[in-house]
Amino acid sequence: MAGSFETTSNATAIKPPFWVLAELTYRCPLHCVFCSNPVNLDTITTELDTQTWKDMLAQARELGAVQLGFSGGEPLQRDDLEELVAYAHELGFYTNLITSGVGLIESRAKALKTAGLDHVQLSFQDSTAELNDFLSHTRTFELKQRVAKLIKSQGWPMVMNVVLHRHNLAHVGKIIEMALDLDAQYLELANTQYYGWAWKNRLALMPSKDQLLHAETVVNDYRKRIGDRCQIIFVVPDYFEDRPKACMNGWGNVFLAIAPDGLAMPCHAARELPGLNLPNVQTSSVHEIWYESQAFNAYRGEAWMAEPCRSCDERHKDFGGCRCQAWLLTGQANQADPVCSKSPYHERVVHLINRPCPSSNEQPLVFRQNTGLSDRE
Ligand code: FES
């Protein structure tokens, strides 16, 4: 029954998934420097067919999942997006399209509305055409402006998402003004998370503490002035905190991501974590994946924790932080996330955030390459 707790012997107390992220395709027309998808996308050339996606969605809903995000890559690259949205809507999912806007023309917007799409999250790279187009290495700024109006014309609530970093943090006020002009209900200002391709560019993207503090002040001033007109969510980069984020709200706790090739992952970056035997929806049921698989149980609960997490009284709050970040920064996925000041590796984060920002000549940005995928577009 949807929403129930599993009661089989080795699955006691594991809650069903709440959030499903369906990464329909890794094809993407943009080349964003802060992309958090895996670096080696060109080696992943297969995509699940429509029926396999439907089977997977039905199973996830049966287990109790409620929220569904369609993302990618660019999900609008899939011709069957409308069919999948309609099916998910029938199943009772709350559906969200996470898009760059490329491909959202009026006829598709109308078809998605008819299919029952609940919500659209539209990304911008900046408030200026110049920087938006530079960071994505595409001319998409004007298109995104048109798409924002199209989203509003269909009556969808709009979340505008802008990834922040040292190249656009100074524009945060203008970004808020743009969101107000486009009548966004929510503006998510998400500081870059350093995974996948973004990890490659971390030294060129990481802001200074002064930049961050200034941006936060601007955001707070706007919040006071605009009240409920637009809710601004400012996600501080956790490198600058002294406690880690509760990544994924706990491993295998609420979040289930399915990659274009059917790989099931407890977080969208898990493909790059060593030691995981990631299951695939083509060969395992969603029930087996969620409750039984090695990968989803690897960092569930607390038994895997090393010290200082194991005896820390904050472990129920942050679950030891992010496994992918622990691995990237220490080479061991079961370590405390080094963002935590109690981690023996915390100095590595401190060193990263305190190093002088390199010039663009010293540390040029590397644009996302989608080689091997373009021939299928
Ligand atoms: Fe993988 Fe945090 S992104 S656990």
Side-chain angles (χ1 to χ4, degrees):
M1 189 182 89
S4 65
F5 279 72
E6 184 55 50
T7 53
T8 57
S9 54
N10 59 350
T12 307
I14 300 174
K15 286 184 266 178
F18 179 77
W19 231 109
V20 175
L21 188 68
E23 298 180 332
L24 296 182
T25 177
Y26 280 145
R27 284 175 283 155
C28 186
L30 273 59
H31 303 274
C32 299
V33 293
F34 50 75
C35 178
S36 61
N37 272 332
V39 171
N40 62 341
L41 290 188
D42 52 339
T43 63
I44 305 154
T45 54
T46 54
E47 287 181 12
L48 298 180
D49 61 21
T50 311
Q51 192 53 50
T52 311
W53 275 116
K54 285 184 175 177
D55 290 347
M56 179 267 143
L57 292 175
Q59 291 178 56
R61 182 76 190 110
E62 176 72 17
L63 279 194
V66 177
Q67 297 269 0
L68 173 63
F70 289 106
S71 79
E74 173 48 66
L76 283 154
Q77 296 273 317
R78 292 273 303 215
D79 296 338
D80 56 359
L81 178 63
E82 292 83 343
E83 187 178 345
L84 292 172
V85 167
Y87 186 69
H89 180 67
E90 243 172 68
L91 291 171
F93 274 111
Y94 185 84
T95 53
N96 185 10
L97 175 65
I98 300 160
T99 179
S100 65
V102 177
L104 193 56
I105 54 174
E106 190 169 4
S107 56
R108 290 201 81 181
K110 285 184 174 161
L112 286 164
K113 185 71 181 174
T114 306
L117 181 67
D118 292 301
H119 193 121
V120 183
Q121 179 180 309
L122 175 66
S123 66
F124 276 79
Q125 280 70 25
D126 190 52
S127 55
T128 66
E130 192 188 14
L131 193 53
N132 182 92
D133 294 356
F134 170 73
L135 292 165
S136 63
H137 206 52
T138 53
R139 284 177 201 266
T140 50
F141 185 73
E142 301 299 335
L143 174 148
K144 285 167 183 283
Q145 300 268 333
R146 286 197 301 277
V147 167
K149 289 176 186 141
L150 190 54
I151 291 168
K152 294 304 294 185
S153 75
Q154 294 301 315
W156 280 309
M158 181 171 55
V159 177
M160 186 180 289
N161 171 283
V162 184
V163 176
L164 298 178
H165 40 75
R166 61 182 286 217
H167 300 275
N168 63 1
L169 263 168
H171 294 178
V172 81
K174 291 192 179 115
I175 292 171
I176 296 170
E177 291 291 346
M178 178 176 75
L180 294 174
D181 284 348
L182 293 172
D183 203 14
Q185 270 99 329
Y186 303 92
L187 171 62
E188 187 179 272
L189 297 169
N191 280 281
T192 306
Q193 301 278 343
Y194 300 105
Y195 307 109
W197 196 269
W199 175 255
K200 257 178 162 347
N201 278 320
R202 65 192 181 284
L203 299 180
L205 290 172
M206 207 168 287
S208 68
K209 191 152 196 168
D210 286 348
Q211 274 187 303
L212 262 179
L213 290 175
H214 180 256
E216 204 166 8
T217 306
V218 173
V219 168
N220 286 334
D221 284 351
Y222 267 97
R223 279 181 177 142
K224 277 188 220 139
R225 274 170 32 207
I226 65 175
D228 293 339
R229 191 172 150 202
C230 174
Q231 192 178 328
I232 307 174
I233 303 136
F234 185 73
V235 186
V236 179
D238 57 357
Y239 278 38
F240 291 82
E241 305 275 15
D242 62 2
R243 286 292 179 273
K245 59 182 180 273
C247 198
M248 301 295 126
N249 215 11
W251 184 273
N253 200 21
V254 292
F255 185 79
L256 167 66
I258 308 295
D261 56 354
L263 216 63
M265 303 178 292
C267 73
H268 74 289
R271 188 186 286 271
E272 295 186 330
L273 265 186
L276 291 181
N277 185 12
L278 290 168
N280 193 297
V281 294
Q282 294 174 98
T283 48
S284 303
S285 71
V286 178
H287 185 284
E288 286 163 348
I289 287 168
W290 185 256
Y291 290 105
E292 310 290 343
S293 70
Q294 178 268 350
F296 277 75
N297 283 299
Y299 302 110
R300 212 173 228 154
E302 297 174 0
W304 58 271
M305 288 180 178
E307 291 293 358
C309 294
R310 186 179 280 266
S311 57
C312 178
D313 56 9
E314 295 177 72
R315 67 187 183 282
H316 313 298
K317 209 163 54 179
D318 59 33
F319 313 104
C322 174
R323 295 307 88 225
C324 298
Q325 201 151 270
W327 179 70
L328 284 166
L329 289 163
T330 75
Q332 298 166 73
N334 69 340
Q335 280 291 329
D337 185 333
V339 161
C340 184
S341 62
K342 297 182 188 180
S343 158
Y345 297 93
H346 183 60
E347 214 25 63
R348 294 185 183 183
V349 176
V350 174
H351 174 73
L352 269 174
I353 63 175
N354 285 339
R355 69 196 298 286
C357 290
S359 71
S360 12
N361 283 343
E362 290 165 329
Q363 194 68 52
L365 286 164
V366 186
F367 292 96
R368 165 101 249 181
Q369 283 152 26
N370 297 328
T371 49
L373 295 173
S374 55
D375 56 335
R376 296 188 304 159
E377 287 171 22

